[in-house]
């Protein structure tokens, strides 16, 4: 199929638009899904971050509570002015229970050491000189505390342990008053590492790390997990104490933060995959549907082209008899347009007015569904728009839809006017042919007739001559009158003349009868009647050729239904052919045998069989092949029409004509004719 550039352009545009829409949709869905995955990841990260911040805040508040409690415990050491020994015992006890404290000193108002206690867990080599120096952290804290008259912390510092290691420490200075006067200081030393271990560790999870840092990020003390996972979350919280501020920092690593951080993201991803799958399936389905649509359109176009190019008229009617469809061939057949025909029900415009009643009845019967239309169709007459009538062959069938329901009637129409004309022509020529053959038969008869008539005529003439002689012979007894014994002879001669004349008259009459009877109608006749009609003529020829004619009719045969004249001609033809086949000097004993009986076989039980048998020359195979061809003859004076006409006549009666060799010589021609079945009422 060749497509114009316009169609191509339109198709291309349509395809382009469809594809761009699909691409846009796919892009949108993919970006939406990516955003969702990203948001889910971010949400999860923020959850982790929030939890971490909360943990950090909790840890800071834990530390603060513990420091406040320690402060109270430290203050309690001095309750009720204890002696030095009692203080040391209490301080040692306190250090045992509070592991974050590593050392407690009791100093006088000038910051000189009065006594101290050390943590049993972490022996540290303290340099007393440095500790009591004015620039030491403890001194700075105490100066601060004195000024504020409240506890004060120092900033952290590194305290070497002597074994090459060390740890970050922080001092707390608590001013002691006695009677409103400055009585001394209590200096407590915190190990930052131990603060973390004792106050924060119990709340840490395995993936968390806690540390104290300086403002610039330098770590002072660290506690917790080594690095795990790939993504780190960090939270910082300030721990502001009087005199100093610490920063608590917590880090956590997320174990699998890459593609599926958690169930939510996994869920979203799974949904995305499902969505993409559904989309792919949809795209496929859509493509399949498009293909199906295209196929359907092609099939429809093909069907339409087929219907339009048909020469058979098509018409569909619904169950109410309304016309629901007509094809162009039907429209051109009747000369009405489809618009004029569609929806018509009561009487179609192509029905001839004189036949409307009959057709309406036929339609009513059809629509009632009781009568199934004949498969081979039926003939009817339609009228063109210009009023001319034409014969149509209608083939009707019920219209069954895809659900198997009977929804109406479908009819096909063939305009058979041309066929009719040809049939009429061939019928006329057939008739002419038959008439010719008949005349030919009569022509042949004429010579036989003359031969046959010669005998009675000769006899009559000789009898007449004899009579004259007898009458003219002079009588010796009575003067001039014929002798009485002569008169007796003359009477006898006259009787012979009358008999011969009667015989000649019979011969002429039989020929006359044969030629004159032209009525075509079929009638009921007996086989004997048929034989009687042809025998006189057959015997004429038989006598000339020296043939003996035997006839036998089975007794009790029913009547036959046939065109009498035609069948007589068939019988006569066969008899004549048979006798001609025996016209051979080598055949001294010539018999023509005509038998009539009921057809033997079952399927021909309603038939009567005629057999014409001769003992003639027989039929050679090359002759047999062309026997029924018109104008085929082996005789010089033959027409070659006899057998072909015989077969036509017999077949017109529904019968069968054939031949077979006859043993020991000769041929049997047989044909069948239907038995007359009287109608019940007649
Ligand atoms: P026609 O008698 O004018 O020749 P037919 O159609 O009757 O035409 O016969 C055609 C030919 O068939 C004959 O010429 C003859 O050769 C052959 N034929 C017909 N009947 C017989 C028969 N009984 N025996 C032998 N030949 C026959």
């Amino acid at each position: 199929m060749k497509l114009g550039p316009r169609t191509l352009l339109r198709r291309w545009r349509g395809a382009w638009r469809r594809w761009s829409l699909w691409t846009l949709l796919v892009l949108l869905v993919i970006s939406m899904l990516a955003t969702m995955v990203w948001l889910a990841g971010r949400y999860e990260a923020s959850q982790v971050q929030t939890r971490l911040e909360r943990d950090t805040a909790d840890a800071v508040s834990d530390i603060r509570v513990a420091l406040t409690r320690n402060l109270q415990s430290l203050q309690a050491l001095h309750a009720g002015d204890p002696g030095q020994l009692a203080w040391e015992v209490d301080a040692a006890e306190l250090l045992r229970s509070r592991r974050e404290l590593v050392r407690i000193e009791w100093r006088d108002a000038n910051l000189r050491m009065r006594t101290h206690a050390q943590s049993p867990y972490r022996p540290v080599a303290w340099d007393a000189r440095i500790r009591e120096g004015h620039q030491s952290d403890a001194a700075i804290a105490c100066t601060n505390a004195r000024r504020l008259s409240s506890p004060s912390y120092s900033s952290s510092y590194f305290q070497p342990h002597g074994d090459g290691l060390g740890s970050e420490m922080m001092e707390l200075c608590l001013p002691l008053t006695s009677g409103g006067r400055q009585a001394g200081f209590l200096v407590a030393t915190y190990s930052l590492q131990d603060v973390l271990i004792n106050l924060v560790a119990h709340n840490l999870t395995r993936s968390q790390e806690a540390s104290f840092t300086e403002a610039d990020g330098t770590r002072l003390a660290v506690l917790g997990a080594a690095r795990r996972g790939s993504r780190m979350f960090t939270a910082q919280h300030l721990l502001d104490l009087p005199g100093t501020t610490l920063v608590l920092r917590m880090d956590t690593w997320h174990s699998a933060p890459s593609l599926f951080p958690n169930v939510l993201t996994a869920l979203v991803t799974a949904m995305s995959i499902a969505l993409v799958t559904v989309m792919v399936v949809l795209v496929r389905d859509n493509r399949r549907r498009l293909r199906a649509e295209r196929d359907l359109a092609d099939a429809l176009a093909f069907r339409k082209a087929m219907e339009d190019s048909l020469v058979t008229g098509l018409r569909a009617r619904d169950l109410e008899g309304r016309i629901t469809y007509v094809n162009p061939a039907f429209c051109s057949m009747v000369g009405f347009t489809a618009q004029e025909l569609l929806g018509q029900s009561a009487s179609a415009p192509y029905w001839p007015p004189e036949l409307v009643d009959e057709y309406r009845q036929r339609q009513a019967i059809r629509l009632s569904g009781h009568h199934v239309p004949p498969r081979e169709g039926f003939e009817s007459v339609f009228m063109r728009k210009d009023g001319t009538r034409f014969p149509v062959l209608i083939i009707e069938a019920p219209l069954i839809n895809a659900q198997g329901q009977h929804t109406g009637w479908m009819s096909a129409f063939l305009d058979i006017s041309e066929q009719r004309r040809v049939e009429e022509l061939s019928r006329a020529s057939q008739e002419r042919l038959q008439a010719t053959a008949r005349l030919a038969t009569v022509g042949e008869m004429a010579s036989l007739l003359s031969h046959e008539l010669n005998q009675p005529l000769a006899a009559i003439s000789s009898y007449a001559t004899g009579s004259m002689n007898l009458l003219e012979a002079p009588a010796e007894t009575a003067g001039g009158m014929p002798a009485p014994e002569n008169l007796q002879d003359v009477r006898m001669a006259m009787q012979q003349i009358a008999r011969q004349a009667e015989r000649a008259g019979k011969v002429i009459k039989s020929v006359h009868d044969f030629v004159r009877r032209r009525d075509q109608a079929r009638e009921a006749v007996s086989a004997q009647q048929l034989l009687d009609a042809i025998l006189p003529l057959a015997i004429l020829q038989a006598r000339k050729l020296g043939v003996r004619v035997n006839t036998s009719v089975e007794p009790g045969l029913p009547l036959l239904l046939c065109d009498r004249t035609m069948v007589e001609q068939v019988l006569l033809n066969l008899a004549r052919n048979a006798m001609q086949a025996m016209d051979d000097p080598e055949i001294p004993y010539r018999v023509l045998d005509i038998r009539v009986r009921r057809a033997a076989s079952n399927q021909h039980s309603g038939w009567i069989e005629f057999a014409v048998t001769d003992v003639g020359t027989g039929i050679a195979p090359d002759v047999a092949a062309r026997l029924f061809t018109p104008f085929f003859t082996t005789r010089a004076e033959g027409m070659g029409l006899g057998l072909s006409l015989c077969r036509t006549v017999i077949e017109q009666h529904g019968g069968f004509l054939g031949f077979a060799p006859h043993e020991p010589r000769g041929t049997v021609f047989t044909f069948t004719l239907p038995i007359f079945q009287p109608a019940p009422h007649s």
Side-chain angles (χ1 to χ4, degrees):
M1 175 162 50
K2 191 118 174 68
L3 294 176
R6 232 167 232 263
T7 324
L8 273 179
L9 190 69
R10 207 168 46 233
R11 279 204 184 174
W12 185 81
R13 259 197 215 146
W16 189 83
R17 201 171 58 211
R18 209 160 42 236
W19 275 110
S20 58
L21 277 177
W22 273 110
T23 316
L24 196 67
L25 182 65
V26 168
L27 285 179
L28 275 177
V29 168
I30 287 177
S31 54
M32 195 187 79
L33 292 180
T35 315
M36 269 171 76
V37 171
W38 179 70
L39 279 178
R42 234 183 57 149
Y43 172 73
E44 196 231 2
S46 78
Q47 287 287 98
V48 174
Q49 182 70 34
T50 312
R51 202 160 51 235
L52 190 66
E53 304 235 326
R54 204 176 53 227
D55 286 352
T56 315
D58 288 350
V60 166
S61 93
D62 282 355
I63 295 173
R64 196 172 276 134
V65 166
L67 291 187
T68 313
R69 194 188 54 197
N70 284 354
L71 195 62
Q72 286 164 352
S73 302
L74 288 170
Q75 276 168 340
L77 281 182
H78 286 270
D81 256 339
Q84 192 169 332
L85 204 65
W87 186 92
E88 280 172 7
V89 172
D90 285 353
E93 178 60 37
L94 189 63
L95 284 169
R96 240 194 310 281
S97 63
R98 308 286 162 79
R99 293 186 174 207
E100 62 273 18
L101 287 171
V102 289
R103 183 183 168 94
I104 305 174
E105 294 168 354
W106 185 358
R107 299 198 184 194
D108 63 12
N110 295 324
L111 285 174
R112 258 190 299 279
M113 190 84 71
R114 283 185 64 178
T115 182
H116 73 275
Q118 285 253 84
S119 164
Y121 309 114
R122 193 182 282 270
V124 179
W126 298 98
D127 189 333
R129 238 174 344 101
I130 294 174
R131 284 198 66 78
E132 285 181 48
H134 285 288
Q135 294 308 313
S136 73
D137 292 279
I140 295 166
C142 286
T143 315
N144 229 356
R146 185 180 324 167
R147 207 180 57 226
L148 298 170
S149 308
S150 69
S152 175
Y153 291 85
S154 76
S155 51
S156 72
Y157 61 93
F158 185 74
Q159 173 68 45
H161 289 178
D163 50 0
L165 297 173
S167 63
E168 203 70 20
M169 301 288 180
M170 182 179 74
E171 306 287 349
L172 160 64
C173 188
L174 189 75
L176 301 172
T177 49
S178 160
R181 235 172 17 87
Q182 194 73 46
F185 295 96
L186 193 77
V187 177
T189 310
Y190 280 102
S191 158
L192 290 188
Q193 183 73 35
D194 289 318
V195 168
L196 289 179
I197 291 171
N198 292 304
L199 304 182
V200 178
H202 60 276
N203 281 330
L204 273 192
T205 63
R206 286 178 172 224
S207 61
Q208 281 175 334
E209 185 189 82
S211 57
F212 282 117
T213 62
E214 283 182 349
D216 62 359
T218 316
R219 295 193 184 216
L220 304 174
V222 183
L223 172 73
R227 217 181 140 83
R228 254 189 280 142
S230 57
R231 187 160 170 200
M232 193 179 75
F233 294 86
T234 299
Q236 291 187 337
H237 213 279
L238 287 181
L239 172 64
D240 48 339
L241 300 168
T244 189
T245 300
L246 286 171
V247 176
L248 181 71
R249 166 178 166 160
M250 278 176 80
D251 295 315
T252 185
W253 282 273
H254 209 269
S255 47
S258 51
L259 193 57
F260 301 112
N262 64 2
V263 180
L264 179 67
T265 316
L267 211 69
V268 169
T269 313
M271 271 161 55
S272 313
I273 292 172
L275 199 66
V276 169
T277 316
V278 167
M279 256 184 62
V280 169
V281 170
L282 267 177
V283 167
R284 272 218 203 123
D285 181 66
N286 190 50
R287 205 183 295 162
R288 207 173 305 143
R289 224 183 26 234
L290 276 178
R291 200 180 310 134
E293 256 172 35
R294 209 171 41 232
D295 289 353
L296 198 68
D298 284 353
L300 271 180
F302 174 68
R303 219 196 69 175
K304 178 105 179 53
M306 213 167 63
E307 280 167 9
D308 291 353
S309 58
L310 268 184
V311 290
T312 312
L314 293 179
R315 179 196 66 187
R317 284 189 297 188
D318 62 13
L319 285 176
E320 274 82 53
R322 272 189 299 271
I323 298 179
T324 52
Y325 168 80
V326 283
N327 74 340
F330 184 77
C331 293
S332 70
M333 198 181 282
V334 295
F336 290 95
T337 63
Q339 283 74 32
E340 287 170 308
L341 295 174
L342 289 181
Q344 297 280 0
S345 67
S347 75
Y350 47 79
W351 286 356
E354 68 276 12
L355 293 170
V356 163
D357 287 341
E358 186 192 326
Y359 287 8
R360 208 171 275 162
Q361 263 176 356
R362 191 170 71 196
Q363 175 163 332
I365 291 171
R366 179 80 66 253
L367 296 180
S368 72
H370 295 315
H371 176 72
V372 182
R375 277 196 77 81
E376 66 278 6
F378 55 92
E379 287 180 18
S380 186
V381 175
F382 277 3
M383 184 178 73
R384 296 198 184 89
K385 199 176 188 179
D386 61 10
T388 50
R389 317 297 202 253
F390 65 102
V392 281
L393 178 70
I394 308 178
I395 299 164
E396 271 196 322
L399 198 60
I400 309 289
N401 71 2
Q403 284 75 45
Q405 279 169 334
H406 179 194
T407 56
W409 295 90
M410 189 75 211
S411 319
F413 299 86
L414 279 175
D415 183 343
I416 51 173
S417 21
E418 184 58 19
Q419 195 179 330
R420 269 293 131 77
R421 206 176 60 78
V422 172
E423 270 174 20
E424 183 59 35
L425 268 181
S426 83
R427 200 182 57 76
S429 66
Q430 181 87 19
E431 248 175 27
R432 265 203 303 280
L433 213 59
Q434 278 176 8
T436 316
R438 208 172 177 75
L439 284 178
T441 313
V442 171
E444 257 176 58
M445 289 291 150
S447 66
L448 286 175
L449 208 59
S450 61
H451 167 79
E452 186 64 23
L453 287 180
N454 259 345
Q455 276 185 18
L457 287 180
I460 287 172
S461 143
S462 59
Y463 279 125
T465 317
S467 300
M468 296 272 270
N469 291 343
L470 283 175
L471 288 178
E472 279 165 18
E476 289 118 34
T477 49
M481 288 299 285
E485 65 273 20
N486 278 2
L487 277 181
Q488 192 60 37
D489 286 346
V490 170
R491 186 176 293 123
M492 195 208 70
M494 285 302 166
Q495 275 171 353
Q496 282 301 328
I497 288 175
R499 198 173 299 145
Q500 292 299 331
E502 196 183 332
R503 183 175 152 207
K506 263 191 194 155
V507 169
I508 290 173
K509 186 169 176 289
S510 66
V511 175
H512 187 248
D513 278 358
F514 181 76
V515 178
R516 225 189 46 178
R517 207 166 38 237
R518 299 271 316 139
D519 42 349
Q520 293 275 320
R522 303 219 171 152
E523 54 191 310
V525 284
S526 71
Q528 192 61 55
Q529 276 173 306
L530 292 173
L531 289 184
D532 290 347
I534 61 131
L535 272 178
L537 293 174
I539 286 168
L540 289 184
Q541 191 173 14
R543 231 182 262 152
K544 186 182 166 199
L545 296 176
V547 175
R548 198 157 67 82
V549 180
N550 287 341
T551 61
S552 85
V553 178
E554 194 181 287
L557 269 190
L559 296 182
L560 293 155
L561 182 68
C562 63
D563 180 338
R564 186 173 174 172
T565 329
M566 288 297 178
V567 174
E568 281 170 8
Q569 168 116 36
V570 170
L571 265 176
L572 190 61
N573 262 335
L574 294 182
R576 262 179 45 231
N577 280 349
M579 288 189 281
Q580 277 157 5
M582 292 186 287
D583 185 12
D584 188 325
E586 283 179 18
I587 303 168
Y589 181 64
R590 304 172 180 180
V591 188
L592 168 67
D593 190 56
I594 304 178
R595 276 169 205 274
V596 190
R597 57 188 183 122
R598 252 177 199 277
S601 70
N602 257 348
Q603 70 204 46
H604 287 109
S605 60
W607 298 79
I608 285 180
E609 184 186 87
F610 289 72
V612 181
T613 313
D614 64 69
V615 290
T617 51
I619 297 176
D622 60 322
V623 175
R626 292 152 61 202
L627 208 59
F628 295 104
T629 321
F631 304 112
F632 169 76
T633 178
T634 57
R635 296 189 298 117
E637 73 280 20
M639 285 270 291
L641 280 174
L643 284 179
S644 84
L645 277 175
C646 288
R647 175 179 266 191
T648 316
V649 167
I650 296 303
E651 283 174 359
Q652 273 171 1
H653 284 79
F656 163 80
L657 183 136
F659 63 92
H662 175 248
E663 290 304 324
R665 57 180 304 147
T667 319
V668 195
F669 274 84
T670 51
F671 64 90
T672 54
L673 285 173
I675 285 174
F676 169 67
Q677 249 120 24
H681 58 269
S682 63

